[in-house]
Amino acid sequence: MSRYYQTFARIGAGLAAIAMLVWFLWPGGAWQFEPEPFFAFGVAVVVWAFTEFKLSEEVIYRASTPNDIRFGREIFAYGTWNFRELLKDHDYHRGIHPRFLTEASLLVSETELGIAHFQDGRVQKKYLDFFERLKAFVDYFGMHSSPERFGSVMLQSVIPANQFDEMNVAPHHQVEINEVNRLATEAWKAMRPLITEIKERIPEVFDEQIRGGWIRSPEE
């Protein structure tokens, strides 16, 4: 309800001004100037005017930098496909295409170098929260997995191909899988408020259609 406070204030101030005007003009025999209703009407009009000067909730603030618009679109694209698969939908009992880890690793590297960032301070704070969790996932998964060929498919897997048995997972591999899944979930949870903040602070990201896809990893 808080987002509609100004609208309610504008309506209330307008109705109050009309009521004061009726009081001021209400016939009571021979009309004469009365200072009390005139003063009340004047105050109501001034209050009404000030409610119109304030930015209303219907106005969308659009002053984002080109960097924030571009990077915001990349984050939305990641949330639509790459990172949704990497951090939310995938279960690391199975391997995943190595390119997913490469994509996330490159984003981590760009952030550490200061290349990937938001100039909007509020959005950057949410991004750094997400980045810390993404880095924890990338570091752990990269350390406890390797690219393995499963038949004709190359996958980044915690379990080596020559030891893979989905029904009988070694205890130490199960511990690693559980931790990778946990870190992925934590990173995804941090991505959701980041996306919400971008949506509110950088509305220009929606000026063009957002498409998921590979952004940083080399074309194959």
Side-chain angles (χ1 to χ4, degrees):
M1 291 293 291
S2 61
R3 62 177 297 189
Y4 300 112
Y5 281 171
Q6 188 190 353
T7 295
F8 293 149
R10 294 164 68 188
I11 294 172
L15 292 175
I18 293 172
M20 295 304 101
L21 179 61
V22 171
W23 181 25
F24 177 59
L25 297 177
W26 192 265
W31 187 88
Q32 60 181 357
F33 178 81
E34 296 184 14
E36 293 85 356
F38 178 75
F39 177 76
F41 171 65
V43 170
V45 168
V46 171
V47 172
W48 190 5
F50 273 105
T51 63
E52 296 295 330
F53 290 150
K54 184 177 180 292
L55 287 176
S56 72
E57 65 275 1
E58 291 85 3
V59 175
I60 299 177
Y61 184 64
R62 299 171 65 88
S64 304
T65 64
N67 170 79
D68 285 4
I69 296 170
R70 174 193 58 78
F71 195 34
R73 288 178 57 80
E74 291 179 0
I75 295 298
F76 265 88
Y78 279 143
T80 300
W81 183 54
N82 296 81
F83 286 3
R84 184 181 183 87
E85 174 68 15
L86 183 71
L87 304 175
K88 181 179 183 294
D89 294 340
H90 192 74
D91 185 336
Y92 287 91
H93 280 85
R94 298 173 287 107
I96 194 170
H97 195 291
R99 195 173 185 186
F100 283 93
L101 181 59
T102 301
E103 188 82 14
S105 298
L106 289 172
L107 177 60
V108 168
S109 296
E110 286 189 13
T111 303
E112 291 176 329
L113 291 171
I115 299 171
H117 72 285
F118 286 98
Q119 292 166 304
D120 184 298
R122 282 173 51 180
V123 180
Q124 177 67 3
K125 183 177 183 300
K126 295 290 186 183
Y127 175 67
L128 291 178
D129 290 342
F130 165 68
F131 161 73
E132 292 297 333
R133 290 164 176 78
L134 179 66
K135 184 177 186 303
F137 165 79
V138 166
D139 289 349
Y140 188 89
F141 184 44
M143 184 179 298
H144 293 86
S145 67
S146 60
E148 297 276 344
R149 185 167 293 281
F150 291 77
S152 61
V153 181
M154 183 69 73
L155 298 176
Q156 189 81 23
S157 177
V158 173
I159 306 174
N162 61 1
Q163 301 177 31
F164 182 78
D165 182 349
E166 192 168 4
M167 304 304 296
N168 296 286
V169 180
H172 67 283
H173 284 147
Q174 186 63 59
V175 170
E176 294 169 350
I177 289 167
N178 291 344
E179 182 64 6
V180 174
N181 282 334
R182 186 189 71 81
L183 291 171
T185 299
E186 290 299 312
W188 178 255
K189 287 179 180 178
M191 189 175 198
R192 293 174 63 184
L194 169 61
I195 288 175
T196 299
E197 194 74 17
I198 294 171
K199 181 179 178 181
E200 293 179 357
R201 300 284 297 177
I202 314 174
E204 296 93 337
V205 298
F206 299 108
D207 286 351
E208 300 177 13
Q209 184 179 358
I210 296 172
R211 299 180 182 275
W214 303 109
I215 297 172
R216 289 170 170 78
S217 59
E219 292 294 333
E220 294 182 352

